[in-house]
């Protein structure tokens, strides 16, 4: 109906290419236009001004011989004032852009190791964008943004990388666990050493108190009972303590059997042994 009335409608964000007798005439902006077809004028096509995106998957090899698939997203649109170039100069815009992307990626990525390729994604994207901007501007297109959205190594390489990462983390965990166990053992040993030291001090003080008590008893008994020697008093005290100890061992329900030589001669031997031991302990304490 529009053609019969010599009118044509151009939608928003779109331009129409008008020719006259097969030759480019003008670019029609959005709106309604008079098109006298009887004078050879007609619309041969439309060109969208919207931002378009092309996703390109390019397989290449890194410097350390790892095959990867690089996924790039190219955002482009026709340049204002160059709509005729964008319409006439390229038969397949997307294929042309894809070819340039392949060329730049396959020239950039092989210079990098796999780890560096992940780190320098922005540099790769900038190289692609610079090359596309320089090439596509001559065809009436503007490259708005270039993104490297993904770098996919081969599945076996990815699995190996995950295993290496897992092994490294397990090694760190094992080191931390061993360090923690080391600290626990050191603290336990320090605690045991401190306990033994304090226990030794307690035993030494106990023995010193026993020696001091026996000495005071001997001296007091010798003064109050004339005619007795210190040896007599010492023997009596030691024998008394010996019988008290035997009584406590026999009275305890949880005590084990203790076999000690017993008799008149054995009592004297035990007294001599106890007295000699105490005297030696006192001599060592004094030194």
């Amino acid at each position: 109906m529009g053609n019969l009335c010599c009118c044509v409608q151009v939608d928003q964000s779109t331009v129409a290419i008008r020719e006259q007798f097969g030759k480019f005439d003008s670019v029609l902006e959005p709106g309604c236009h008079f098109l006298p077809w009887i004078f050879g004028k007609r619309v041969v096509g439309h060109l969208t001004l919207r931002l378009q995106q092309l996703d390109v998957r390019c397989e290449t090899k890194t410097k350390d011989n790892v095959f990867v698939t690089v996924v790039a997203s190219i955002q482009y649109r026709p340049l204002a004032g160059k709509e005729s170039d964008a319409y006439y100069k390229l038969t397949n815009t997307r294929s042309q852009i894809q070819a340039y992307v392949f060329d730049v990626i396959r020239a950039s990525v092989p210079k990098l190791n796999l780890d560096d390729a992940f780190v320098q994604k922005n540099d790769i994207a900038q190289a692609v964008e610079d090359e596309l901007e320089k090439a596509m501007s001559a065809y009436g297109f503007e490259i708005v943004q270039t993104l490297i959205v993904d770098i996919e190594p081969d599945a076996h390489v990815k699995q190996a990388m995950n295993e290496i990462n897992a092994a490294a983390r397990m090694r760190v965990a094992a080191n931390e666990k061993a360090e923690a166990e080391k600290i626990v053992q050191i603290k336990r040993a320090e605690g045991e050493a401190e306990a033994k030291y304090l226990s030794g001090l307690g035993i030494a003080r106990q023995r010193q108190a026993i020696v001091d008590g026996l000495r005071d008893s001997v001296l007091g008994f010798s003064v109050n009972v004339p005619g007795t020697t210190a040896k007599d008093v010492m023997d009596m005290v030691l024998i008394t303590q010996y019988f008290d100890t035997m009584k406590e061992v026999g009275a305890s329900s949880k005590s084990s059997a203790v076999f000690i030589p017993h008799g008149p001669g054995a009592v004297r031997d035990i007294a001599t042994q106890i007295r000699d031991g105490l005297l030696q302990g006192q001599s060592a304490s004094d030194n």
Side-chain angles (χ1 to χ4, degrees), residues 62-267:
T62 62
K63 187 177 180 180
D64 47 355
N65 296 321
V66 177
F67 282 91
V68 296
T69 299
V70 181
V71 182
S73 292
I74 314 300
Q75 298 174 353
Y76 65 98
R77 64 188 173 193
L79 282 168
K82 290 189 176 183
E83 293 88 351
S84 59
D85 291 340
Y87 184 81
Y88 285 106
K89 287 189 175 182
L90 286 179
T91 303
N92 191 329
T93 305
R94 300 174 73 87
S95 296
Q96 187 72 19
I97 294 176
Q98 185 175 6
Y100 280 111
V101 173
F102 280 176
D103 181 66
V104 176
I105 289 179
R106 288 174 176 170
S108 302
V109 175
K111 299 177 184 179
L112 304 172
N113 292 324
L114 180 60
D115 293 340
D116 296 334
F118 280 98
V119 174
Q120 301 182 25
K121 286 198 307 180
N122 292 336
D123 296 338
I124 299 172
Q126 188 62 47
V128 173
E129 183 173 343
D130 293 342
E131 184 66 23
L132 284 174
E133 186 69 29
K134 181 174 61 176
M136 298 303 295
S137 61
Y139 300 109
F141 283 95
E142 173 192 9
I143 303 301
V144 178
Q145 185 73 29
T146 301
L147 302 173
I148 302 298
V149 297
D150 198 7
I151 298 178
E152 301 175 356
D154 181 76
H156 297 291
V157 176
K158 188 183 297 184
Q159 181 179 0
M161 293 173 64
N162 291 335
E163 291 177 354
I164 292 173
N165 189 22
R169 292 181 180 276
M170 291 178 64
R171 183 168 61 252
V172 172
N175 290 336
E176 293 295 333
K177 182 179 180 181
E179 190 67 22
E181 292 178 352
K182 175 183 175 182
I183 294 174
V184 171
Q185 292 177 359
I186 291 174
K187 293 300 181 181
R188 184 184 296 116
E190 291 177 353
E192 292 177 355
E194 185 69 18
K196 290 179 180 179
Y197 173 74
L198 296 176
S199 176
L201 287 179
I203 293 174
R205 291 173 180 174
Q206 179 185 13
R207 291 176 179 176
Q208 183 63 40
I210 293 174
V211 171
D212 293 341
L214 291 176
R215 182 179 61 247
D216 294 341
S217 298
V218 169
L219 292 176
F221 196 87
S222 299
V223 172
N224 295 325
V225 182
T228 59
T229 63
K231 180 179 180 301
D232 296 334
V233 177
M234 190 68 174
D235 290 341
M236 186 182 65
V237 171
L238 292 177
I239 291 174
T240 302
Q241 289 185 347
Y242 169 75
F243 282 113
D244 291 339
T245 302
M246 293 295 294
K247 179 180 178 183
E248 291 178 0
V249 171
S252 177
S253 61
K254 296 182 180 180
S255 61
S256 301
V258 179
F259 297 94
I260 299 178
H262 187 67
V267 171

Side-chain angles (χ1 to χ4, degrees), residues 207 211 234 238 270-284:
R207 291 176 179 176
V211 171
M234 190 68 174
L238 292 177
I270 292 173
T272 302
Q273 293 175 9
I274 295 175
R275 182 176 62 252
D276 293 342
L278 291 174
L279 294 176
Q280 290 176 3
Q282 183 180 6
S283 176

